[in-house]
Amino acid sequence: GESVGLHLPTLSVQEGDNSIINCAYSNSASDYFIWYKQESGKGPQFIIDIRSNMDKRQGQRVTVLLNKTVKHLSLQIAATQPGDSAVYFCAEMITGGGNKLTFGTGTQLKVEL
Amino acid sequence: DGGITQSPKYLFRKEGQNVTLSCEQNLNHDAMYWYRQDPGQGLRLIYYSQIVNDFQKGDIAEGYSVSREKKESFPLTVTSAQKNPTAFYLCASRKLTGGGEEQFFGPGTRLTVL
């Protein structure tokens, strides 16, 4: 029979290159956004977050950009390393609205040596 | 050693049986959450609780039940009414006051129905 499954979007980059992972969010009322990294078989780990009153925020080797006009979020990883290989999720929230996060489907990042 | 613990890591269940997944946190967080993750998909919210003895349904609560008798603990029961329970279950917690908005996740429990 035919097998049916969902395949995550995959981004393959060379070690040392910069990575850009994109996310389209759904609710224009969302005012808080967060990126998580999930390694295989583990729980998600917090990477960076941003509020809607900002359009850019930088962390260590990571930058998040927010474009509210087109409801788009991106995560930039500088000098990508093999340890960055994982699935990356964006999530959105309306603060004060039950504090519920709505997650995207994720992007698989593969770092090639 | 502070954090969120989930047990067991792997759980097998026969069809028709109820099973309870444990989630404990010693972070003094107010809110706790249960998510379900299917292969190649994002996380979907099952139940959440912002205070002891109170909880709300998430997006996919049917076939699940929870309790919040203690601040530290938020067990999830997968009942026989859940038609497709095989999945990876993740618990998270968050401090509501004086903390950031981010949720912190446990290591997950992989449930397989035989």
Side-chain angles (χ1 to χ4, degrees):
Chain A
E2 181 181 13
S3 66
V4 178
L6 289 173
H7 298 281
L8 285 173
T10 299
L11 174 66
S12 294
V13 299
Q14 294 289 322
E15 181 180 6
D17 286 352
N18 296 336
S19 303
I20 300 176
I21 300 171
N22 296 304
C23 175
Y25 65 92
S26 58
N27 193 337
S28 56
S30 294
D31 58 357
Y32 174 78
F33 305 89
I34 189 168
W35 281 99
Y36 284 96
K37 171 187 180 184
Q38 186 178 27
E39 297 175 349
S40 181
K42 297 183 178 180
Q45 297 173 275
F46 169 82
I47 303 175
I48 192 168
D49 58 2
I50 189 169
R51 296 185 185 276
S52 59
N53 60 353
M54 303 172 69
D55 52 23
K56 180 179 179 179
R57 192 169 186 216
Q58 289 184 289
Q60 188 177 14
R61 272 200 317 120
V62 294
T63 300
V64 56
L65 299 178
L66 175 63
N67 185 331
K68 294 182 287 294
T69 303
V70 294
K71 293 191 290 186
H72 184 267
L73 200 64
S74 69
L75 177 70
Q76 300 178 1
I77 304 174
T80 312
Q81 302 168 0
D84 295 326
S85 293
V87 176
Y88 290 80
F89 292 98
C90 68
E92 59 183 299
M93 185 169 76
I94 301 172
T95 56
N99 305 298
K100 295 188 294 179
L101 285 171
T102 301
F103 284 81
T105 54
T107 297
Q108 174 82 56
L109 176 65
K110 293 185 177 179
V111 181
E112 298 168 351
L113 303 177
Chain B
D1 195 20
I4 303 172
T5 57
Q6 292 186 243
S7 61
K9 187 171 176 63
Y10 299 97
L11 189 57
F12 298 90
R13 180 194 108 174
K14 292 182 180 179
E15 281 193 39
Q17 287 182 336
N18 292 357
V19 63
T20 298
L21 283 59
S22 168
C23 178
E24 304 276 334
Q25 54 96 4
N26 60 5
L27 301 167
N28 197 33
H29 283 178
D30 310 286
M32 297 186 74
Y33 306 81
W34 273 106
Y35 294 90
R36 171 186 172 132
Q37 186 176 31
D38 292 286
Q41 297 190 43
L43 282 66
R44 292 184 290 168
L45 183 64
I46 305 173
Y47 267 99
Y48 66 104
S49 167
Q50 298 188 82
I51 194 170
V52 173
N53 291 324
D54 188 47
F55 47 83
Q56 286 78 40
K57 293 181 179 180
D59 300 319
I60 55 164
E62 185 175 352
Y64 300 97
S65 65
V66 293
S67 63
R68 186 89 186 275
E69 297 177 1
K70 298 186 299 182
K71 187 176 184 179
E72 303 81 19
S73 179
F74 191 41
L76 173 74
T77 297
V78 184
T79 75
S80 56
Q82 169 48 236
K83 299 304 178 189
N84 186 20
T86 295
F88 190 45
Y89 290 87
L90 288 157
C91 178
S93 71
R94 176 180 164 236
K95 192 163 184 60
L96 292 180
T97 56
E101 305 285 355
E102 69 268 28
Q103 295 178 15
F104 296 86
F105 283 84
T109 292
R110 188 166 298 281
L111 172 64
T112 303
V113 173
L114 303 173

